[in-house]
């Protein structure tokens, strides 16, 4: 296994269950597990309302939401099914909201359609022309979920190696060898859940990929502690269907905070969480990739707006005040950013669904941003169903 985020650790746990007695080694570059997308998100247990019917996201998120709640309860990990409101603030958003309502029915997600009066009754500080209430949405700390899964992996005999950067992958008809500066491992099968480094690991393995992972910084704020009770539920805008981002939302957290965010700003460092971070290798790959040029041309207006909101708190605040008008600049306190690993194809397409490829002896998770944390165990089952330790399996 390569990758110690929640998807990688969940897959390791499922493998040791499926193949008791087999030796499993999980290798992670960072000094700890869940160091990137897993540990830098809103902690939302998503319901699956947004996703294209029939897509992996729609199916795996719906199953994963229930698994996450059940696992948290069994492990005494705090979680709260607080529900979510998707708020339409004008007529155009209301029409998109109705489309989401129809999609939710198709995806088997329970929702309620609310008018403006019922919205205000449920959340007096929130305004809009209507809303969808998703009662099954919840919140949890995914780092704790990941830590509990890791303990189960170790208890079953799996080994977790931290601080080891993979520098080479060589696959033959009979084995896969994975190398790092500190050593190498040879195995009958390999699973790669590398998140922000997914494309680089795929290239090391010789996959003929036509995409790049582009980092989008998700910048958050949090409200003062005394304002944490402003809302009882998660408050989301109605998202733009052409983008894989969900918009700036108000999110109660399981530790009692209330966060605002994230936006989506093109990053110049895959693992640089401080504002203004630049990694020259990452920046060169982004600038030199034709798909990113097409994204920039297609979404220039959106990109400029996100950049403005990143640079000026007033613009960021305006996004929130559309549905929560009493927020002020003083309410927005700094909070660590996250980075979304977004696959972009050479033709400029932003990949919306999970993307998983396999070779004869390896499986690569190539695009797994949100709701991957919610979907982690169903993704793991999907991967393990495509791994055979006794024979090569062909590519799909």
């Amino acid at each position: 296994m390569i990758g110690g985020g929640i998807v990688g650790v969940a897959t390791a746990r499922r493998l040791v269950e499926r193949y008791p007695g087999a030796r499993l080694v999980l290798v992670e570059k960072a000094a700890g597990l869940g160091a990137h997308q897993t540990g830098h998100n809103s902690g939302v247990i998503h319901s699956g309302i947004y996703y294209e019917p029939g897509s992996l996201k729609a199916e795996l998120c719906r199953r994963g939401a229930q698994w996450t709640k059940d696992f948290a309860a069994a492990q005494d990990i705090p979680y709260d099914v607080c529900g979510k409101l998707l708020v339409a603030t004008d007529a155009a958003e209301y029409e998109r909201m109705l489309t989401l309502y129809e999609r939710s029915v198709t995806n088997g997600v329970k929702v309620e359609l609310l008018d403006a009066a019922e919205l205000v009754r449920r959340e007096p500080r929130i305004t809009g022309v209507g809303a969808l209430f998703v009662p099954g949405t919840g919140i949890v700390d995914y780092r704790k979920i990941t830590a509990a899964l890791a303990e189960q992996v170790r208890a079953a005999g799996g080994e977790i190696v931290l601080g080891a950067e993979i520098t080479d992958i060589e696959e033959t008809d009979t084995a896969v060898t994975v190398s790092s500066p500190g050593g190498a491992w040879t195995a009958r099968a390999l699973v790669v859940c590398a998140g922000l480094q997914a494309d680089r690991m795929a290239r090391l393995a010789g996959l003929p990929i036509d995409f790049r992972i582009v980092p989008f910084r998700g910048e958050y704020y949090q409200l003062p502690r005394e304002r944490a009770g402003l809302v009882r539920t998660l408050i989301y805008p109605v998202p733009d269907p052409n983008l894989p981002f969900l918009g700036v939302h108000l999110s109660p957290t399981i530790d009692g905070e209330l966060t605002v965010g994230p936006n989506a700003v093109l990053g110049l460092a895959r693992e640089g969480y401080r504002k203004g971070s630049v990694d020259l290798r990452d920046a060169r790959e982004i600038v030199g990739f034709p798909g990113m040029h097409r994204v920039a041309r297609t979404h220039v207006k959106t990109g400029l707006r996100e950049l403005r909101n990143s640079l000026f708190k007033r613009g960021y605040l305006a996004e929130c005040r559309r549905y929560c008008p009493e927020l002020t600049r003083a309410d927005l306190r700094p909070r660590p950013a996250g980075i979304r690993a977004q696959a972009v194809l050479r033709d400029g397409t932003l990949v919306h669904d999970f993307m998983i490829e396999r070779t004869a002896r390896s499986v690569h998770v190539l695009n797994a941003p949100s709701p991957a944390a919610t979907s982690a165990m169903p993704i793991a089952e999907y991967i393990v169903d495509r791994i055979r330790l006794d024979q090569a399996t062909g590519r799909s």
Side-chain angles (χ1 to χ4, degrees), residues 37-64:
Q37 291 181 108
T38 300
H40 293 81
N41 59 49
S42 302
V44 177
I45 305 172
H46 288 283
S47 61
I49 185 174
Y50 302 105
Y51 312 117
E52 184 72 28
S55 66
L56 285 176
K57 280 190 176 183
E59 172 61 22
L60 302 185
C61 182
R62 182 178 56 79
R63 287 165 43 199

Side-chain angles (χ1 to χ4, degrees), residues 112-160:
E112 300 175 38
L113 188 59
L114 310 182
D115 61 18
E118 180 62 14
L119 167 62
V120 174
R121 189 190 71 79
R122 296 195 187 196
E123 289 287 1
R125 268 72 176 269
I126 302 300
T127 63
V129 297
L132 292 181
F133 178 59
V134 189
T137 302
I139 51 177
V140 75
D141 186 337
Y142 284 111
R143 291 166 297 186
K144 292 182 178 179
I145 298 282
T146 303
L149 287 167
E151 285 304 307
Q152 293 182 352
V153 171
R154 293 186 178 104
E159 180 183 358
I160 297 177

Side-chain angles (χ1 to χ4, degrees), residues 86-386:
L86 281 86
V87 179
T89 59
D90 57 33
E93 289 185 355
Y94 190 84
E95 289 302 314
R96 296 210 307 265
M97 185 189 76
L98 293 180
T99 300
L100 277 178
Y101 177 77
E102 294 171 0
R103 177 170 287 187
S104 69
V105 173
T106 302
N107 287 343
V109 179
K110 183 180 178 182
V111 296
E112 300 175 38
L113 188 59
L114 310 182
D115 61 18
E118 180 62 14
L119 167 62
V120 174
R121 189 190 71 79
R122 296 195 187 196
E123 289 287 1
R125 268 72 176 269
I126 302 300
T127 63
V129 297
L132 292 181
F133 178 59
V134 189
T137 302
I139 51 177
V140 75
D141 186 337
Y142 284 111
R143 291 166 297 186
K144 292 182 178 179
I145 298 282
T146 303
L149 287 167
E151 285 304 307
Q152 293 182 352
V153 171
R154 293 186 178 104
E159 180 183 358
I160 297 177
V161 178
L162 301 175
E165 182 174 1
I166 301 305
T167 55
D168 189 48
I169 300 172
E170 182 178 355
E171 180 174 341
T172 69
D173 291 340
T174 58
V176 184
T177 299
V178 175
S179 302
S180 76
W185 299 265
T186 298
R188 284 181 287 167
L190 170 69
V191 179
V192 183
C193 304
L196 287 158
Q197 306 297 333
D199 56 337
R200 289 172 177 166
M201 292 298 102
R203 289 200 299 274
L204 280 181
L207 269 70
I209 62 171
D210 66 346
F211 76 96
R212 290 290 183 273
I213 291 296
V214 175
F216 283 89
R217 285 175 51 82
E219 296 167 338
Y220 290 89
Y221 291 97
Q222 68 184 44
L223 272 64
R225 194 74 177 195
E226 61 272 16
R227 295 276 276 166
L230 183 72
V231 294
R232 297 187 296 271
T233 57
L234 294 148
I235 308 296
Y236 276 62
V238 177
D240 181 342
N242 296 315
L243 296 171
F245 313 114
L246 299 181
V248 173
H249 44 270
L250 284 170
S251 299
T253 67
I254 199 63
D255 59 357
E257 302 288 351
L258 181 60
T259 67
V260 183
N263 57 359
V265 182
L266 178 64
L268 295 177
R270 297 193 188 200
E271 299 175 9
Y273 292 94
R274 297 182 62 180
K275 184 171 284 192
S277 295
V278 177
D279 179 285
L280 291 180
R281 179 188 179 191
D282 295 344
R284 282 196 301 268
E285 287 192 4
I286 292 168
V287 172
F289 182 54
M292 199 58 221
H293 302 168
R294 296 182 175 97
V295 169
R297 288 195 298 268
T298 302
H299 300 289
V300 60
K301 184 177 179 181
T302 300
L304 289 173
R305 184 187 71 230
E306 293 292 316
L307 180 59
R308 178 201 66 195
N309 293 346
S310 173
L311 294 173
F312 304 105
K313 189 185 289 188
R314 182 173 59 185
Y316 198 110
L317 179 64
E319 296 287 326
C320 313
R321 285 174 58 88
R322 296 180 65 229
Y323 54 79
C324 188
E326 72 176 71
L327 289 176
T328 68
R329 291 182 67 181
D331 287 326
L332 302 185
R333 307 286 179 87
R335 184 178 176 89
I339 299 177
R340 178 190 180 98
Q342 177 62 53
V344 178
L345 302 183
R346 183 169 291 273
D347 66 4
T349 300
L350 296 165
V351 178
H352 285 255
D353 204 3
F354 299 141
M355 185 165 61
I356 299 171
E357 290 265 4
R358 64 175 173 150
T359 67
R361 293 201 170 270
S362 65
V363 177
H364 290 253
V365 180
L366 301 176
N367 189 63
S370 179
T374 300
S375 311
M377 188 50 69
I379 294 174
E381 291 169 348
Y382 182 91
I383 292 169
V384 173
D385 285 345
R386 284 152 180 79

